[in-house]
Amino acid sequence: MLKLSLDALQILDAIDRRGSFAGAGKALHKVPSTISYTVAKLEEDLGVQLFDRIGPRAEPTEAGRALLEEGRHLLRAARELELRVRRVASGWEAGLTLALDSVFPTWLLGPDIAAFRGAAAPTRLRLFGEALSGTWEALLDRRADLLVAAPGEGPSGGGYVVEPLGSVDFVFAVAPG
């Protein structure tokens, strides 16, 4: 069983930000004895001192700073997870992956990406480039949700819809040898 909880990490973060157990209690709407008990129990479970108590002030020890640094990453990840779950429940996708053919000038997507960000801000957008038939392979292998590919209809039997976005002029060049 884990000795560390998100609640304990929130308390440690609040103590560090407010500079005292009492300040953390006010920020988290908890009585100071709850804050003290949580820290004491965590210190006992981990076998390390997390704060130096200097009168009413509390300064993190080296171990406390290390725990705070990594713990804040966990708190941020937990908040993001909560948001993603809410977005999915409300109909928003958590992420959209777009595969771009190397022939396509990516700067042309700038306005579209900005518009997407405005409309679907909670959805994480991931872009990656592929060459030749790599975009189609990415779509068929489910590594991409959407693709911008070179001209053509793509592999048969894919169950996808192809919409032209424009045209690209090709200049063929052949070496004399």
Side-chain angles (χ1 to χ4, degrees):
M1 177 117 170
L2 290 175
K3 295 174 170 67
L4 197 57
S5 69
L6 292 176
D7 188 47
L9 289 173
Q10 283 182 310
I11 288 173
L12 297 176
D13 179 59
I15 294 168
D16 185 49
R17 291 183 191 281
R18 300 294 176 148
S20 69
F21 284 43
K26 285 181 186 174
L28 297 173
H29 308 290
K30 296 182 185 275
V31 295
S33 61
T34 299
I35 304 293
S36 296
Y37 174 79
T38 302
V39 173
K41 177 77 171 117
L42 186 57
E43 288 177 330
E44 179 185 320
D45 289 347
L46 296 176
V48 297
Q49 184 177 348
L50 298 171
F51 287 95
D52 287 324
R53 286 113 172 133
I54 308 156
R57 303 276 313 150
E59 293 290 326
T61 62
E62 188 175 335
R65 276 191 293 280
L67 181 58
L68 279 164
E69 184 178 326
E70 295 300 321
R72 286 179 175 141
H73 293 298
L74 291 173
L75 289 172
R76 210 172 3 266
R79 284 187 207 105
E80 289 172 6
L81 177 59
E82 287 176 354
L83 287 173
R84 266 183 296 209
V85 168
R86 284 192 201 108
R87 283 190 300 241
V88 169
S90 68
W92 283 101
E93 290 289 334
L96 178 69
T97 302
L98 180 62
L100 302 171
D101 193 294
S102 60
V103 173
F104 186 80
T106 56
W107 61 269
L108 288 174
L109 287 179
D112 297 308
I113 291 171
F116 178 82
R117 281 266 149 266
T123 301
R124 189 177 338 159
L125 183 62
R126 181 175 165 256
L127 306 170
F128 68 93
E130 290 283 348
L132 302 173
S133 64
T135 52
W136 290 105
E137 290 171 14
L139 184 69
L140 295 173
D141 292 345
R142 299 186 187 274
R143 291 182 289 123
D145 302 308
L146 187 65
L147 62 92
V148 178
E153 294 295 316
S156 63
Y160 41 76
V161 177
V162 176
E163 293 288 334
L165 292 175
S167 63
V168 176
D169 293 328
F170 284 100
V171 176
F172 293 99
V174 179

